[in-house]
Amino acid sequence: MSINRTNACGTQPYDQTYSLGYQVHHEDWSPFPRVNYLRQKFLDRQYYIDVERLRLVTEAYKKHEAAPSKLKCAYAFENILLNVTLHIYEQDLILGEIAAPAKAAPIYPEFSVNWIIDEILNSPFEERAHDQFYIRNDEERKEIVELCRYWQGKTVEDLINSRLEEDQIKGSQLGKRIFQTNLYHYAGVGHLVIDYAKLMEVGYDGMIEDAKKRYEKLDKKDPEYGDKRDFYLSMIIMHEAAKKYIERYAKLAEEYAEKEEDAKRKEELKTMAINCHQIAGGAPKTFWQALQLFNFATTLIQIESNGHSISYGRMDQWLYPFYEKDIKNGTITKEFALELLEVLYVKMNNPTKLKDKGTVLVRNGRGFGGESLTIGGVDRNGNDATNDLTMLMLEASAHTRMMNPWVCVRMHENTPYELKVKTVECIRAGYGHPKIFNDAPAIKAMMRKGMTLEEARDYAVVGCVEIDLPGKEFGWHDAAYVNTPKMMEMVVNGGRCLDCGPHCGRWERCGAIGSQLGPNTGSLETYKSFDEVLESVDKQFDYWCDQMCSSLNIIDNAHRTLKPTPYVSAFYEDCLESGKDLTEGGAKYNGIGPQASGLGTCADSLATIKQLMFDEKRYTGLQLLQAVKDNWEGHEKIYALVNSSKVHHYGNDDDYADELFKYMFECYCRHINGRKTPRGGEYSPGVYSVNANVAMGLNTNASLDGRKAYEAISDNMGPVHTDAGSHDISGPTAIVNSLTKVDHSLATNGTLMNLRFPEDAVSGIEGRDNLISLIDEIIAKNAMHVQFNIMSAKTMRAAQKKPEDYKDMLVRVAGYSAYFVELGKPLQKDLIQRTELHF
Amino acid sequence: MNGIIFNIQRFTIHDGPGMRTELFLKGCPLRCEWCSNPESWLPYIQIGVYKTKCISLKKCGLCEEACPKENVLNFTRGKLTSIDRSKCTNCLACYDACPSDAIKQWGKVMSIEECMKEIRKDIGYYERSGGGVTVSGGEPLLQSDFVAELFKICKEEGIHTCCESTLHADWREIEKILPYTDLIISDIKHMDTTIHKKYTGVDNNKILENLKKLADKNYEMILRIPIIPDVNDDMKNIEATADFILNELRNRVRTLQLLSFMRLGEEKYSSLGIPYKMENVKLNRKSFQKHINEISNYFNSRGIHCLVGTKEKQ
């Protein structure tokens, strides 16, 4: 096998070892005292709710009640940027927050307010079991409730609620939770990467000039003239406001510099002021200015909307020209470039999002979440794109070890050895980053979405594992989570929940009137062959995907009607060209990506049915059905058997069960792929669950894989682990082989593979080299994504016992890492139960 | 040709370079007191009992129904705890009936082709990591024809082969596998043959003889010493071992690996109804580890490449 090499390097040798797993009481990972200081400051700061954005947005909406939506959004945005309090933090080198102090969550009443009022009055944010937030005082508490009341009946949520019908509601989070569309039902969409390269080239002035030209060319004969004019006008108001906002920061930095007594800090503040003056309208001239513009441009997207997963694209690529120039001119040293990156990394953690208690169950964590930073991979011509920044961005990651950014290394068959070593050194330091993406299947998936090869090669990761084309795609990634084991309940029990009865909140509208939740497509009592079971699965999927996607279309439409996003749309060439907002389908690619959860649970359930009921005829359908109806009580023999190695289980490189996983995977993809979205694009299926598998399990009765009611369903692409034990018992190569028997590129919205090793399994040079070999083979086997937790169950249990010693211990949850001790107990348990692998 | 195998472990990294698939062959002439694989001793299929997994006679009882003899299965407080080995014929009826993994089958007759099918599953991983196949045991040389045939096919398919053996075997058994074996892992348990016999049941003459022959032939070898407290960790034995490696083997050892004693396999002993002789060994892990490091330093000071653990690189 040939080994590719690179000259690209950071400040340290490529094979620098960082640490093996989490280290208690280690707080100075960075060589820069400033970075360690900023990091500690961040960790020590409390999470607050901030009222200012709510106040300013409400004021603007009240003033412009009759204005069209886009302009309302523009005036509100302008009002915020001209009036919001600005912050400059000690020792910081990059300016700009999200219209709230660091780590404080603004409120976005445009999307939803009912839950905010409800939670403040009835289940205070301060008293949550996890993801607590604090309100500064009772006056602000009162003000928030009062301002939110103005919005009742006017929000995106209200519009959606008024349009959903019973059949759509009954399976959603408002009903029995077969699918959960809450993310965009109650908040912004986000999940995008803007064209940073263009912004860096032209600056805000260039953006505005471009828009003005197109505005002037508008044709009054165009029936959409009014809509397009609104778009250009809004966008211009917003980008002009951005310039003024940055100028405000320049002025403030000057004031700080004036007062500063320390000569070195004075100079830094002066430079920061100069940086802001330069990029307020113009293009950045230096690496530092490029980072500064990046931070403003990005945080402004988060001021416009609270959609999460605003990702940074291929940052080592679009930033490189500035680095290269500064290094050549001697403007900066590699070390200072690294320090700036590390300061920025810490800062990327500041944006904080208040989520409703239901969403928090699905998506634990108080950050916005999903800020993926993509490095490595091939360029548009298919050549390896590794450069110094690729290496520096990994060093910065190992030196900061925080939730953000979610560093993602793209790999391919020619990825240089040095980059692999550096990546693996970061992975085995055990802080949950980086994740690895595989170019071949990802590019294939992008092309399935209709992109050209050159476009496809330019993909960047958004959020957990979604692949996206910067500046061209509005993919509505992460649109919904599908609880496939709950669908399986309908399959085994004639379209009814296993526990159907008067205790159910929907009984009066459902069972009591002789109705049932889903269509009756047969039950274990009636199936004559296994093919009939599979046919039933197919029919249930068709029915529930219809309900889910038609709901998502209504949600999509509500955003278009009430909350367009002209500021961020302007960074999309096709939006500028067409005069259409992103919410109106202005981007070139306009997908919607809902994710399947629990396919492993379904696969093992099918294996039980196929093997015990049809092949071996050991039990009848009725016996199996009764066992899950009784939550296995009184059926201990069957329970033990389906959890034993005598029944085929997915994840052991056993074709019997792996074929069933394949059936489930393809069935889900088939029912999602190709559906049309309201924005003129196509639906795009993903197979990952983030941590929704835990919450979904809480809503799901016992399943035939040997899972008891309310236990977590299987996570992501992974095999089953029930309270009785893990079903994957054949080691990591078997898991990888099982997971790669399906064509990952069919899941165009991403797949997710988790592998967990205890620290000592990857120790020493041999441990490092084995991990590299494992990754190489995963790449060769065409898995789209893989991520590692280097953390033993023992370490996690120790953290549960003494959380105060493990405050900054990050654990890989899904596409993201989170502070372990801040996670809910059920999720902690799920992470501990996920199979620990050994070499 | 068939072999009898009690475990196939994929993705091991401890017995030979890279990632490997390891086949554990059943049957061993030694009875080392510290052995962590007691299920490897007898060269035929056996039943193991895991009492914690039994879901109780009352809720299940399938093993009792299936057993063709009377009073073979012993229950304590309603759960299966042991088997009367004097009556059990290892017919496996109880194993087939048990739904819960409480009854385990130790050993399986497998054809060369069946083994190759398992081995081939991870071929990509071997190629990337410089790994391959390891046979271990038990004592694989008890099935030397099987190993030779298996390794021959592996070599034809370009797979690296390693045999981990006690070398307590006739030279002609070793000769059968040598043409297809890339690496041999063996160990020196004690230099004093009387003590060797006391703790392993056999003397060390054949083992040391075979090691010398392999060194004379310049064979690739990794040697190990399982460091067992108060059995072989005294400096007298360590010095004798170093002398042997330097003088008799002329230091033709790729790496000398020191494996520190671990209480492993106790559960397996109890599943087989065999008493665990190391039960009473108590040791201070920290000072024992320090002692092992000192031993390692000693070997290195004598010019022998020695490491603690199963690694070859520092």
Side-chain angles (χ1 to χ4, degrees):
Chain A
M1 238 157 282
S2 70
I3 292 180
N4 296 287
R5 311 295 298 224
T6 179
N7 292 325
C9 66
T11 63
Q12 295 166 319
Y14 71 89
D15 57 355
Q16 170 87 33
T17 297
Y18 293 107
S19 68
L20 188 64
Y22 179 75
Q23 313 286 314
V24 176
H25 296 310
H26 196 306
E27 281 148 7
D28 50 351
W29 292 112
S30 175
F32 309 108
R34 180 202 310 272
V35 174
N36 293 323
Y37 166 85
L38 290 169
R39 179 181 187 274
Q40 197 54 47
K41 273 275 164 205
F42 172 86
L43 291 172
D44 293 343
R45 209 169 273 142
Q46 198 51 269
Y47 286 95
Y48 282 100
I49 295 173
D50 193 77
V51 69
E52 216 174 0
R53 184 186 185 280
L54 171 64
R55 210 181 269 152
L56 293 166
V57 170
T58 310
E59 189 178 276
Y61 268 66
K62 278 183 178 165
K63 196 169 156 195
H64 300 280
E65 265 189 340
S69 294
K70 283 176 215 155
L71 280 158
K72 262 192 206 165
C73 291
Y75 294 134
F77 189 76
E78 186 184 38
N79 201 34
I80 298 168
L81 297 195
L82 300 189
N83 298 296
V84 74
T85 312
L86 306 184
H87 303 273
I88 294 180
Y89 294 100
E90 259 177 64
Q91 297 204 36
D92 210 350
L93 297 175
I94 309 276
L95 301 173
E97 308 296 330
I98 58 161
K103 238 175 143 176
I107 292 173
Y108 300 76
E110 305 95 307
F111 297 106
S112 57
V113 291
N114 292 332
W115 61 273
I116 301 176
I117 299 170
D118 175 59
E119 289 193 47
I120 288 182
L121 298 180
N122 301 317
S123 44
F125 297 106
E126 297 85 343
E127 291 170 22
R128 283 178 173 177
H130 54 84
D131 289 61
Q132 303 88 344
F133 278 93
Y134 298 88
I135 296 174
R136 288 195 188 85
N137 52 54
D138 280 344
E139 247 165 68
E140 286 198 6
R141 199 184 312 273
K142 242 173 85 187
E143 187 186 359
I144 293 171
V145 173
E146 266 165 33
L147 287 169
C148 282
R149 286 222 162 100
Y150 163 80
W151 287 89
Q152 283 185 300
K154 301 185 178 71
T155 66
V156 169
E157 182 208 352
D158 296 313
L159 179 55
I160 294 166
N161 290 349
S162 76
R163 294 187 70 199
L164 288 177
E165 61 195 30
E166 176 63 13
D167 274 356
Q168 294 167 323
I169 288 171
K170 70 183 183 188
S172 76
Q173 68 276 7
L174 302 167
K176 298 300 284 183
R177 296 194 163 96
I178 289 183
F179 54 86
Q180 298 196 219
T181 54
N182 21 341
L183 289 180
Y184 310 153
H185 192 136
Y186 305 107
V189 179
H191 286 86
L192 47 81
V193 181
I194 63 168
D195 186 352
Y196 284 107
K198 184 189 166 189
L199 173 65
M200 294 296 148
E201 200 184 314
V202 304
Y204 279 107
D205 282 341
M207 300 296 302
I208 294 164
E209 201 182 318
D210 198 352
K212 280 185 176 159
K213 265 189 213 153
R214 292 175 201 265
Y215 172 51
E216 279 158 22
K217 273 196 223 148
L218 269 185
D219 183 354
K220 287 232 167 69
K221 290 191 179 68
D222 183 346
E224 292 176 330
Y225 171 81
D227 293 337
K228 291 180 179 174
R229 183 200 56 197
D230 289 350
F231 172 72
Y232 290 123
L233 286 177
S234 307
M235 179 253 141
I236 292 165
I237 291 170
M238 293 166 104
H239 282 236
E240 292 283 6
K243 285 176 60 177
K244 289 174 196 151
Y245 172 70
I246 299 171
E247 280 295 353
R248 287 181 64 208
Y249 261 111
K251 225 177 126 216
L252 187 65
E254 277 163 4
E255 284 167 24
Y256 269 61
E258 196 72 29
K259 281 182 273 174
E260 181 61 50
E261 284 172 9
D262 180 79
K264 189 169 169 265
R265 182 62 184 157
K266 202 181 190 69
E267 273 315 300
E268 284 170 2
L269 287 161
K270 275 188 190 164
T271 310
M272 282 150 76
I274 292 169
N275 288 346
C276 289
H277 279 307
Q278 173 58 34
I279 57 143
K285 289 185 169 162
T286 65
F287 182 74
W288 193 349
Q289 288 175 4
L291 293 182
Q292 181 60 77
L293 178 57
F294 158 80
N295 189 56
F296 278 129
T298 308
T299 46
L300 287 175
I301 299 172
Q302 293 166 313
I303 290 174
E304 181 179 35
S305 156
N306 66 355
H308 61 288
S309 298
I310 303 304
S311 296
Y312 311 142
R314 305 184 67 184
M315 200 166 184
D316 60 339
Q317 304 303 306
W318 63 254
L319 190 58
Y320 190 70
F322 296 94
Y323 169 83
E324 192 185 25
K325 198 178 118 205
D326 278 12
I327 288 282
K328 215 180 253 170
N329 296 344
T331 313
I332 50 167
T333 60
K334 224 178 229 190
E335 283 68 25
F336 187 58
L338 180 64
E339 185 173 2
L340 282 171
L341 282 175
E342 291 183 19
V343 168
L344 182 68
Y345 273 26
V346 176
K347 196 154 190 85
M348 285 167 172
N349 288 275
N350 284 351
T352 294
K353 178 167 167 176
L354 184 66
K355 295 166 209 155
D356 62 278
K357 61 184 174 191
T359 300
V360 162
L361 274 179
V362 189
R363 191 179 260 278
N364 210 163
R366 288 170 282 196
F368 258 61
E371 296 89 345
S372 276
L373 189 165
T374 307
I375 56 177
V378 296
D379 63 17
R380 278 173 212 181
N381 301 315
N383 302 314
D384 179 66
T386 308
N387 60 38
D388 283 2
L389 282 178
T390 319
M391 300 302 218
L392 286 167
M393 282 171 176
L394 282 171
E395 279 177 15
S397 173
H399 290 165
T400 50
R401 305 193 180 192
M402 301 177 77
M403 276 181 65
N404 286 352
W406 303 5
V407 179
C408 165
V409 182
R410 281 179 46 175
M411 289 201 179
H412 54 97
E413 55 182 13
N414 294 321
T415 294
Y417 176 71
E418 290 81 356
L419 179 55
K420 288 183 198 169
V421 174
K422 181 130 246 162
T423 303
V424 163
E425 285 298 358
C426 292
I427 288 172
R428 66 183 184 148
Y431 62 94
H433 297 297
K435 52 191 172 186
I436 294 172
F437 254 76
N438 188 3
D439 277 1
I443 288 169
K444 196 169 157 197
M446 293 297 274
M447 292 176 75
R448 280 188 198 277
K449 293 197 277 190
M451 294 161 194
T452 66
L453 178 61
E454 286 69 29
E455 284 180 328
R457 281 172 173 159
D458 219 13
Y459 81 90
V461 179
V462 161
C464 286
V465 293
E466 303 92 291
I467 46 178
D468 182 273
L469 187 59
K472 290 196 174 143
E473 180 175 4
F474 187 40
W476 253 66
H477 309 291
D478 218 21
Y481 288 89
V482 184
N483 182 352
T484 60
K486 185 74 188 170
M487 283 191 203
M488 196 56 88
E489 239 181 280
M490 307 290 111
V491 171
V492 301
N493 195 35
R496 285 204 155 84
C497 300
L498 285 168
D499 64 340
C500 182
H503 66 277
C504 173
R506 300 186 42 79
W507 175 247
E508 299 302 324
R509 283 167 288 172
C510 191
I513 53 167
S515 184
Q516 54 189 42
L517 193 66
N520 182 357
T521 56
S523 87
L524 286 186
E525 286 181 74
T526 65
Y527 298 127
K528 296 280 180 302
S529 69
F530 188 63
D531 283 342
E532 282 183 28
V533 179
L534 294 183
E535 209 176 295
S536 173
V537 171
D538 191 72
K539 284 182 189 155
Q540 290 290 342
F541 270 53
D542 189 53
Y543 177 79
W544 292 109
C545 290
D546 276 354
Q547 305 310 322
M548 173 177 70
C549 295
S550 59
S551 305
L552 287 171
N553 293 345
I554 285 173
I555 297 173
D556 187 329
N557 201 277
H559 285 269
R560 172 190 186 139
T561 307
L562 289 181
K563 186 63 181 102
T565 50
Y567 167 76
V568 70
S569 299
F571 297 108
Y572 284 70
E573 187 59 34
D574 297 276
C575 288
L576 268 188
E577 174 74 35
S578 63
K580 282 186 177 166
D581 190 87
L582 278 179
T583 57
E584 295 171 312
K588 189 169 177 188
Y589 301 103
N590 291 289
I592 293 181
Q595 309 2 296
S597 293
L599 292 180
T601 299
C602 294
D604 279 6
S605 298
L606 287 177
T608 299
I609 296 169
K610 184 167 190 243
Q611 186 183 336
L612 300 185
M613 182 175 158
F614 292 106
D615 291 358
E616 295 177 1
K617 300 193 169 50
R618 216 156 156 163
Y619 292 102
T620 64
L622 188 59
Q623 283 174 306
L624 294 180
L625 180 58
Q626 200 56 48
V628 281
K629 274 190 174 169
D630 296 342
N631 196 21
W632 301 106
E633 267 168 50
H635 307 269
E636 285 76 12
K637 272 186 276 188
I638 317 181
Y639 178 73
L641 182 62
V642 299
N643 276 302
S644 80
S645 53
K646 283 186 180 136
V647 170
H648 296 282
H649 289 150
Y650 167 63
N652 295 291
D653 203 359
D654 166 3
D655 285 343
Y656 190 100
D658 293 348
E659 280 301 318
L660 296 171
F661 180 81
K662 192 173 175 192
Y663 177 84
M664 294 304 306
F665 180 92
E666 289 176 357
C667 179
Y668 178 70
C669 291
R670 183 169 69 243
H671 284 292
I672 298 297
N673 257 327
R675 284 176 190 258
K676 303 281 180 256
T677 73
R679 283 168 289 112
E682 284 189 3
Y683 272 78
S684 164
V687 179
Y688 62 89
S689 51
V690 193
N691 61 18
N693 65 309
V694 176
M696 287 180 162
L698 291 172
N699 300 309
T700 310
N701 293 302
S703 44
L704 282 167
D705 56 331
R707 194 187 129 274
K708 289 190 174 164
Y710 322 129
E711 283 179 34
I713 58 174
S714 63
D715 74 282
N716 303 292
M717 291 282 285
V720 167
H721 48 90
T722 71
D723 277 0
S726 288
H727 283 192
D728 50 332
I729 53 168
S730 310
T733 58
I735 295 175
V736 170
N737 289 359
S738 287
L739 264 67
T740 51
K741 284 177 190 169
V742 298
D743 180 354
H744 285 229
S745 73
L746 287 173
T748 49
N749 206 38
T751 66
L752 196 156
M753 183 193 312
N754 269 320
L755 296 176
R756 178 160 75 85
F757 290 95
E759 296 84 352
D760 56 4
V762 293
S763 67
I765 296 290
E766 277 127 332
R768 184 195 77 186
D769 289 348
N770 281 323
L771 199 47
I772 292 174
S773 301
L774 176 65
I775 291 168
D776 278 344
E777 187 62 11
I778 289 170
I779 301 283
K781 284 192 158 35
N782 282 319
M784 194 162 357
H785 159 278
V786 64
Q787 63 190 14
F788 298 88
N789 256 326
I790 306 299
M791 189 176 289
S792 62
K794 206 174 129 202
T795 308
M796 289 192 261
R797 288 202 190 95
Q800 281 185 319
K801 273 197 197 114
K802 272 189 102 179
E804 63 277 15
D805 279 356
Y806 294 84
K807 263 189 198 162
D808 65 344
M809 182 175 90
L810 288 165
V811 60
R812 193 97 203 151
V813 177
Y816 74 110
S817 294
Y819 294 110
F820 181 81
V821 298
E822 292 183 11
L823 299 174
K825 283 281 172 312
L827 180 55
Q828 289 184 350
K829 179 182 154 199
D830 184 58
L831 289 167
I832 292 171
Q833 278 187 352
R834 287 182 192 173
T835 307
E836 182 165 303
L837 301 166
H838 293 265
F839 285 102
Chain B
M1 197 187 301
N2 291 337
I4 174 158
I5 288 161
F6 70 89
N7 188 15
I8 295 183
Q9 202 171 342
R10 294 166 66 175
F11 211 28
T12 66
I13 54 163
H14 298 295
D15 298 319
M19 298 174 199
R20 314 188 69 84
T21 295
E22 189 159 359
L23 285 73
F24 293 86
L25 274 58
K26 206 157 156 30
C28 186
L30 275 64
R31 292 290 179 273
C32 307
E33 289 192 358
W34 52 86
C35 178
S36 54
N37 290 335
E39 74 279 29
S40 73
W41 294 351
L42 300 175
Y44 51 79
I45 293 168
Q46 289 169 282
I47 291 290
V49 176
Y50 280 80
K51 52 190 174 197
T52 54
K53 297 219 169 149
C54 177
I55 59 170
S56 87
L57 190 57
K58 202 171 139 203
K59 285 181 182 163
C60 179
L62 289 173
C63 54
E64 187 79 335
E65 276 171 38
C67 182
K69 294 190 151 195
E70 299 279 309
N71 300 324
V72 175
L73 303 159
N74 303 320
F75 293 86
T76 312
R77 283 192 287 277
K79 290 198 174 191
L80 179 68
T81 45
S82 67
I83 289 179
D84 186 341
R85 307 263 167 191
S86 65
K87 292 183 197 152
C88 174
T89 58
N90 288 314
C91 74
L92 301 180
C94 60
Y95 162 75
D96 288 333
C98 175
S100 75
D101 290 335
I103 300 179
K104 196 170 161 66
Q105 173 186 347
W106 285 122
K108 193 177 164 190
V109 175
M110 290 181 79
S111 69
I112 297 273
E113 192 43 41
E114 281 173 310
C115 293
M116 286 308 300
K117 212 178 138 196
E118 277 302 300
I119 290 168
R120 287 187 196 113
K121 283 181 175 173
D122 285 349
I123 214 156
Y125 303 92
Y126 314 148
E127 282 175 8
R128 285 176 203 283
S129 64
V133 168
T134 297
V135 296
S136 179
E139 174 46 65
L141 291 173
L142 286 184
Q143 304 181 49
S144 54
D145 290 323
F146 177 78
V147 175
E149 185 62 25
L150 184 76
F151 276 10
K152 190 174 168 211
I153 297 175
C154 285
K155 291 321 297 173
E156 281 166 13
E157 299 186 12
I159 300 171
H160 181 272
T161 57
C162 169
C163 177
E164 190 195 10
S165 163
T166 65
L167 292 183
H168 181 74
D170 291 338
W171 178 250
R172 63 191 153 87
E173 305 299 334
I174 300 173
E175 264 186 321
K176 283 183 200 165
I177 70 159
L178 281 187
Y180 319 107
T181 305
D182 295 315
L183 176 67
I184 285 190
I185 301 178
S186 188
D187 51 7
I188 299 179
K189 296 170 178 80
H190 209 290
M191 288 304 297
D192 181 314
T193 194
T194 319
I195 302 176
H196 195 278
K197 187 156 182 161
K198 183 179 166 200
Y199 287 102
T200 71
V202 303
D203 61 40
N204 66 11
N205 299 336
K206 266 188 196 173
I207 296 171
L208 299 183
E209 251 343 279
N210 287 332
L211 280 173
K212 275 192 261 182
K213 281 188 188 162
L214 288 169
D216 286 345
K217 286 177 179 295
N218 280 331
Y219 227 84
E220 282 284 312
M221 265 197 297
I222 293 175
L223 263 189
R224 291 172 168 174
I225 307 176
I227 307 281
I228 315 296
D230 301 327
V231 173
N232 62 1
D233 62 339
D234 55 292
M235 280 321 282
K236 192 180 152 209
N237 180 51
I238 296 301
E239 280 166 29
T241 310
D243 291 343
F244 177 78
I245 291 172
L246 292 172
N247 303 332
E248 304 293 332
L249 305 184
R250 280 164 293 131
N251 206 7
R252 286 191 176 142
V253 172
R254 215 159 93 169
T255 311
L256 176 65
Q257 299 174 335
L258 306 182
L259 311 184
S260 56
F261 168 72
M262 297 277 193
R263 288 175 76 112
L264 288 175
E266 268 179 273
E267 214 192 3
K268 289 195 267 188
Y269 278 91
S270 103
S271 89
L272 289 159
I274 307 173
Y276 183 53
K277 288 191 179 163
M278 305 298 282
E279 202 170 6
N280 296 320
V281 175
K282 287 200 176 76
L283 68 127
N284 179 323
R285 186 52 63 191
K286 226 173 171 179
S287 63
F288 185 56
Q289 212 55 45
K290 204 176 139 211
H291 180 44
I292 290 176
N293 288 335
E294 283 162 10
I295 297 174
S296 170
N297 291 341
Y298 171 75
F299 279 115
N300 282 302
S301 76
R302 298 270 322 254
I304 298 166
H305 175 53
C306 177
L307 290 171
V308 179
T310 57
K311 303 196 165 172
E312 287 202 74
K313 292 175 204 157
Q314 198 54 272

